[in-house]
Amino acid sequence: MVPRRPIVVAGAGVGGLTTALALARHGLPVEVYERRTADEIRNAPGSGLTLWSNASTPLGWLGLGDRLLAASDRVVAIHNFDSRGRLRFKMSSHPHLWPGALPSLSIGRMDLAEILMEAVRQRDVQVHYGRPVSDHEITGDGVRVRLVDGDTVLGAALVGADGVRSTVLRELRGEVPGVYLGRTTYRGVVPGTAGLVPEIPQLFHDDETRIGGGVYRIGGDRSAWTLSWKAPAGEREEPGTEHAHAVRLARPLPALLRDRVAATPAEAVIRTDIWYHEWHEQWGEGPVTLVGDAAHAMPNDLGQGACQAVEDAVVLADALAAGDLSSQAGVAAALRVYEGRRYERVKWVRQQSVQVATAAEPRSAAARWVMGHLTRVYLAMAEKKMWQEMQRLPELTVHPDEVVGSR
Ligand SMILES: Cc1cc2nc3c(=O)[nH]c(=O)nc-3n(C[C@H](O)[C@H](O)[C@H](O)COP(=O)(O)OP(=O)(O)OC[C@H]3O[C@@H](n4cnc5c(N)ncnc54)[C@H](O)[C@@H]3O)c2cc1C
């Protein structure tokens, strides 16, 4: 049963827009309120993102498969090198896809945002850009959402998709202190793919300086790069010196990465500190719930944060579509079903990400050699199971092809 009032989504990132699209495909009324303006989103400096098959496939179920494939590069494996370009280990993800799955993809964040924005527009979903959510109040028959501009919106439910510093999360559980990973990143996108192996992101690590980085194709004639290093939270360079800093940091790493950092226009280099959340199993209350980073921000090491937001979105829509939404109790019950269906999966993925992100980095060359050897042995034994689990597809009660409005 369709609720009288819209489901209000706070945030138009990957999680919010995918939620809106999935709900709209089920014929459920939905409205999105986003802090940034549409131009701010479109003109944000570029960076890349990996959509592993567990996210590309559900986005395909939402009708975006062809557009995603056209705008991205496939990812079939990852190669990991030391700073002199000597191969440390390889991992193949592609042989471990589930039947019927789309391949894993690397894509520009701006391209993914554009595809999602266009898809919700085609479904006539109203996205109110430049209108941040301030707070909410659960009423007898839904939720009253207040916006920073003073307006009030009445919804059947509120979905907080407003990222790691979520306002909706704060309202639910009070101030939730983030965990700083101790690491920060620079990212950028440059034209050209010279020297890059198609479909295989290349990662590098300099054991002396402990600076890591990666470079990969993102569709079209472009590549994305990252650099990461240990730094205190909030530390920033003098304005205008970021690019020179990134170039300096990249010095120990191979030219494939170094040259791309140098070629990126200064204004297109983004710095992001890596914050995540302690695990917590209260994502909601009554007609309110969370998706994506708002619910479970995790370290970026496995590239699964946005992927888990996509999984949340399709499972949430599936749970609501199967629920009785004629009463507030019915809406709340469907949201608890969604949360219950997600906890175990997200907890596992988050745990793997935290383990990789916080693994000790041995100082001595001998200890590093032993660690490298153990990693290769572990991968030889566990690669198949690890990739199958990581790329596992969400299970839905209504098959995607049977969703009303799927065509
Ligand atoms: C360096 C780095 C690399 C990464 N690489 C990958 C990768 O390869 N693959 C992957 O899957 N993940 C990756 N991630 C993680 C991924 O970026 C996040 O997990 C993902 O963006 C979370 O999506 P989201 O929609 O939950 O939140 P966000 O993307 O943060 O979107 C939240 C939205 O809410 C809006 N908002 C905030 N407050 C309000 C408010 N009060 N009212 C209304 N709107 C509001 C924001 O403006 C934003 O648009 C990476 C992260 C980092 C830092």
Side-chain angles (χ1 to χ4, degrees), residues 63 65 88 90 129 173 195 247 252 254 259 283 296 331 350 377 393:
R88 295 215 286 209
K90 298 177 178 186
Y129 293 102
R173 297 214 305 263
V247 169
D259 293 350
W283 294 4
H296 47 65
V331 171
R350 177 193 174 278
V377 171
L393 305 180

Side-chain angles (χ1 to χ4, degrees), residues 44-384:
S47 64
L49 186 73
T50 307
L51 285 175
W52 296 102
S53 176
N54 53 300
S56 60
T57 306
L59 288 169
W61 295 341
L62 299 178
L64 305 183
D66 290 344
R67 274 170 273 177
L68 288 173
L69 288 167
S72 62
D73 197 46
R74 290 195 327 164
V75 176
V76 300
I78 289 177
H79 290 176
N80 193 304
F81 301 88
D82 69 12
S83 55
R84 287 202 253 159
R86 290 177 302 202
L87 184 69
R88 295 215 286 209
F89 57 86
K90 298 177 178 186
M91 289 186 283
S92 292
S93 54
H94 195 69
H96 312 304
L97 296 184
W98 291 86
L102 285 185
S104 297
L105 306 171
S106 51
I107 187 165
R109 275 181 192 257
M110 49 296 177
D111 298 325
L112 178 60
E114 198 61 59
I115 288 171
L116 287 169
M117 285 161 81
E118 173 63 13
V120 292
R121 203 185 54 71
Q122 282 174 1
R123 290 262 161 194
D124 295 326
V125 173
Q126 283 197 43
V127 183
H128 306 269
Y129 293 102
R131 302 196 69 191
V133 164
S134 155
D135 55 55
H136 69 264
E137 183 191 337
I138 297 173
T139 63
D141 61 349
V143 54
R144 181 175 295 119
V145 181
R146 266 182 294 270
L147 305 178
V148 167
D149 61 20
D151 269 3
T152 299
V153 186
L154 296 176
L158 169 64
V159 180
D162 48 347
V164 62
R165 288 189 185 77
S166 166
T167 300
V168 181
L169 170 67
R170 197 170 56 234
E171 288 271 295
L172 278 172
R173 297 214 305 263
E175 206 58 55
V176 176
V179 184
Y180 179 55
L181 185 58
R183 214 175 57 204
T184 187
T185 65
Y186 277 129
R187 285 175 285 169
V189 168
V190 276
T193 55
L196 296 184
V197 185
E199 307 184 347
I200 303 183
Q202 285 160 278
L203 307 181
F204 306 97
H205 191 264
D206 179 54
D207 292 327
E208 293 308 317
T209 58
R210 299 184 176 204
I211 295 168
V215 57
Y216 52 101
R217 298 160 65 126
I218 53 167
D221 186 32
R222 295 166 311 161
S223 47
W225 58 265
T226 63
L227 276 178
S228 73
W229 73 104
K230 289 188 187 305
E235 179 204 74
R236 288 296 178 270
E237 305 74 42
E238 285 294 311
T241 64
E242 296 89 349
H243 184 247
H245 185 213
V247 169
R248 235 178 11 257
L249 286 168
R251 252 180 224 152
L253 300 172
L256 205 58
L257 175 57
R258 217 172 50 219
D259 293 350
R260 288 187 157 82
V261 176
T264 307
E267 65 283 4
V269 175
I270 323 169
R271 181 164 174 178
T272 313
D273 291 349
I274 307 296
W275 288 87
Y276 64 104
H277 290 158
E278 292 291 2
W279 178 249
H280 201 291
E281 290 189 6
Q282 192 203 341
W283 294 4
E285 177 189 25
V288 181
T289 195
L290 303 170
V291 299
D293 277 9
H296 47 65
M298 60 186 73
N300 63 315
D301 295 64
L302 296 180
Q304 275 285 346
C307 297
Q308 291 307 304
V310 169
E311 288 191 22
D312 288 345
V314 291
V315 174
L316 171 61
D318 188 60
L320 281 170
D324 173 5
L325 308 185
S326 60
S327 69
Q328 191 183 44
V331 171
L335 295 182
R336 300 299 86 77
V337 168
Y338 147 69
E339 292 158 8
R341 281 169 60 182
R342 292 296 295 146
Y343 287 148
E344 209 179 308
R345 163 72 173 159
V346 180
K347 189 175 180 179
W348 182 82
V349 172
R350 177 193 174 278
Q351 210 168 332
Q352 308 305 307
S353 307
V354 172
Q355 256 170 30
V356 172
T358 56
E361 285 181 56
R363 268 282 175 211
S364 78
R368 282 199 300 268
W369 185 86
V370 172
M371 179 86 132
H373 183 67
L374 291 177
T375 305
R376 281 189 294 275
V377 171
Y378 170 77
L379 287 175
M381 283 163 37
E383 187 178 29
K384 177 174 177 193

